[in-house]
Amino acid sequence: MGFVDAVKSGFSNYVNFQGRARRSEFWFWVLFVILVSFVAGFLDGMLGLAGPTGYGPLGGLVTLALIVPGIAISVRRLHDTGRSGFWLFISLIPLIGAIVLIIFYIGDSQPGSNKYGASPKG
């Protein structure tokens, strides 16, 4: 899956917490979020809208617009590795939780069908 297809898939599955998402779909979505957040932060700074924390209204709007599809694609990526979406709660443990999730996200898809659906690899 390419970059544009991954972004389209992220928005078309905005609140879809079922099914599976391939590694490429997940990581292209992450790249998209980073790029859009960087542009929003840059524009906030250039327009003088950034507050004392460095965040401005454009960055806030981007965060609000992308948080739900980000959570949804994260859950679908965990499903692709054969794990429940509840594993996202491990991110509440500082540092260790993020490391565990990154390891899960990097892992290969579970081959064939699992309880979350057919393999998106086909």
Side-chain angles (χ1 to χ4, degrees):
M1 177 173 285
F3 181 78
V4 174
D5 292 332
V7 173
K8 285 180 184 178
S9 176
F11 283 119
S12 65
N13 292 309
Y14 196 83
V15 290
N16 181 11
F17 294 90
Q18 298 177 353
R20 297 167 65 168
R22 294 177 65 174
R23 267 189 299 200
S24 60
E25 180 181 355
F26 175 79
W27 289 110
F28 279 135
W29 178 262
V30 169
L31 177 63
F32 170 74
V33 169
I34 290 169
L35 292 174
V36 170
S37 298
F38 177 77
V39 169
F42 179 77
L43 289 175
D44 276 337
M46 291 299 292
L47 297 174
L49 300 173
T53 60
Y55 297 103
L58 294 176
L61 289 174
V62 165
T63 300
L64 286 175
L66 299 179
I67 194 162
V68 173
I71 293 170
I73 201 167
S74 296
V75 168
R76 291 194 316 271
R77 177 69 196 130
L78 289 169
H79 287 174
D80 193 43
T81 62
R83 293 175 179 86
S84 169
F86 285 109
W87 274 101
L88 276 180
F89 289 115
I90 200 169
S91 65
L92 297 175
I93 301 172
L95 189 62
I96 293 171
I99 291 170
V100 169
L101 276 179
I102 289 172
I103 291 169
F104 288 167
Y105 293 148
I106 290 173
D108 196 11
S109 301
Q110 207 176 37
S113 295
N114 65 16
K115 66 182 181 178
Y116 303 106
S119 175
K121 288 185 177 180

